[in-house]
Amino acid sequence: MRARTTEEDGRIALIQSDIWIGFPRAEQVLDRLQGLIEAPRQTRMPGLLVHGASGIGKTMIARNLSRKYAPEYDPASGITRTPLLLLQAPPAPDERRFYLHILAAVGAPATALSARAQNVASLEVRVIALLRDLGLRMIMIDEVHNLLAGTHREQRRFLNVLRYLSNELEVSLVCLGVSEAVDAIRGDIQLARRLDEHHLPNWRDDAEFSDMIQTLIAAMPLEKKSNLKVKSLKQILALTGGVTSRIFALIKDLSIDAIVTGDECITDDAIAKWTPVWSRHANAYRRLEKSGV
């Protein structure tokens, strides 16, 4: 294998970093979210439930919006304005744990609080007071399907907390998760009525998929253009199951190989020979299991 140059190492590092590709289906969700965060305050703020398969791009969209509405310090008031608070749902629907997570996210960890002040009621009061001062307009809860790990009663209590925060602070609530979480959200009729649903389907063999692949490859820092046949696009879809994160992993992997080998483009032959990262070691593992190792 030939030695890489510093310039090649830099391009590989760029490929390995987070890359935002503004394909239409992602921009459509972003437009809806931006409309919510810019909407005037009202007693019952509208919200959105974005759902789809794991790895379809929900978290990527959420992080992109959170960067756009990053906290800003207001020197006049001495307050850091935070229009958007992006949180990850706790591993199970635990109210206390969720409030503690919110405090940590806004830079007010509960370690300085007494044990008595860390009960659910006290944490609730503290969280509401802190969030009200931030100029908050939207709360986004990623991995909301984690609530399925709890009992029906625990799920209802957690959903009550989300609805209460939205009502009390007059902010839009956005939940992101796998489609299995939809039924749980619908279990709270009042919350379900104010959350529109937006489904992100797996990619299919159509013009939208072809455009996305071309856009993604064009974003890779390769020196030559990749002219792929339709057969290769179908192969990419078959290898990834139409899951966005897997598609990105495939294109990134092949782009790095193209730099290392000096080909400087993704070829039909490279796609035909590529083995999915998520199953690359499966045969070796199965052999070890059969041998009792």
Side-chain angles (χ1 to χ4, degrees):
M1 183 179 295
R2 67 186 184 88
R4 297 201 302 261
T5 65
T6 302
E7 184 270 342
E8 289 172 339
D9 284 338
R11 286 193 287 147
I12 289 174
L14 180 61
I15 292 171
Q16 292 172 331
S17 64
D18 286 337
I19 297 175
W20 168 256
I21 303 296
F23 42 86
R25 65 162 58 180
E27 295 292 347
Q28 183 183 15
V29 179
L30 282 173
D31 286 344
R32 293 192 68 176
L33 293 175
Q34 188 165 335
L36 287 175
I37 203 170
E38 299 292 347
R41 293 184 184 275
Q42 51 188 288
T43 304
R44 295 290 183 266
M45 293 293 290
L48 187 66
L49 169 61
V50 182
H51 61 94
S54 178
I56 204 63
K58 302 178 296 293
T59 300
M60 178 177 64
I61 292 171
R63 289 178 178 172
N64 182 272
L65 188 72
S66 68
R67 285 192 290 268
K68 184 172 184 178
Y69 290 93
E72 291 185 358
Y73 178 72
D74 181 1
S77 62
I79 296 175
T80 298
R81 299 293 180 184
T82 307
L84 169 61
L85 184 61
L86 174 58
L87 304 165
Q88 181 171 311
D94 183 318
E95 299 163 75
R96 181 177 180 276
R97 191 170 185 174
F98 184 57
Y99 283 133
L100 291 173
H101 186 37
I102 291 176
L103 290 177
V106 298
T111 51
L113 299 178
S114 65
R116 183 178 179 181
Q118 292 192 35
N119 63 55
V120 173
S122 298
L123 289 172
E124 177 185 290
V125 172
R126 180 170 172 79
V127 163
I128 291 295
L130 284 171
L131 296 186
R132 190 169 276 133
D133 290 337
L134 296 179
L136 198 63
R137 302 192 66 85
M138 177 181 285
I139 297 177
M140 298 187 76
I141 313 295
D142 197 11
E143 307 287 346
V144 74
H145 50 264
N146 287 348
L147 65 87
L148 297 173
T151 64
H152 178 70
R153 182 180 179 184
E154 289 170 335
Q155 292 178 28
R156 291 297 299 273
R157 287 178 64 89
F158 189 77
L159 292 174
N160 282 341
V161 168
L162 298 185
R163 179 159 44 84
Y164 171 73
L165 288 175
S166 177
N167 290 345
E168 191 68 17
L169 298 167
E170 295 184 347
V171 299
S172 292
L173 176 66
V174 175
C175 296
L176 306 101
V178 299
S179 295
E180 287 77 4
V182 174
D183 289 337
I185 296 288
R186 288 173 180 165
D188 187 310
I189 297 176
Q190 295 183 58
L191 185 61
R193 283 175 178 169
R194 73 179 68 172
L195 293 184
D196 286 340
E197 294 183 19
H198 189 111
H199 176 58
L200 285 173
N202 287 26
W203 295 92
R204 298 182 299 175
D205 184 13
D206 54 19
E208 184 185 22
F209 174 69
S210 177
D211 291 343
M212 187 273 285
I213 291 296
Q214 293 179 42
T215 302
L216 179 56
I217 292 177
M220 298 294 108
L222 300 175
E223 295 180 353
K224 299 178 183 177
K225 186 176 180 180
S226 302
N227 297 306
L228 300 179
K229 297 178 180 177
V230 173
K231 181 180 179 180
S232 292
L233 298 182
K234 293 180 181 293
Q235 180 71 2
I236 292 173
L237 196 61
L239 287 167
T240 62
V243 176
T244 307
S245 62
R246 290 184 172 186
I247 295 170
F248 273 54
L250 182 152
I251 297 299
K252 286 186 171 190
D253 203 20
L254 291 176
S255 297
I256 291 173
D257 285 345
I259 292 175
V260 171
T261 61
D263 290 338
E264 290 295 343
C265 67
I266 298 174
T267 64
D268 295 305
D269 186 54
I271 292 174
K273 294 178 180 178
W274 190 79
T275 305
V277 177
W278 43 93
S279 63
R280 195 165 291 171
H281 305 293
N283 291 332
Y285 289 150
R286 282 195 286 269
R287 287 196 297 269
L288 288 173
E289 289 175 355
K290 288 181 179 179
S291 64
V293 177

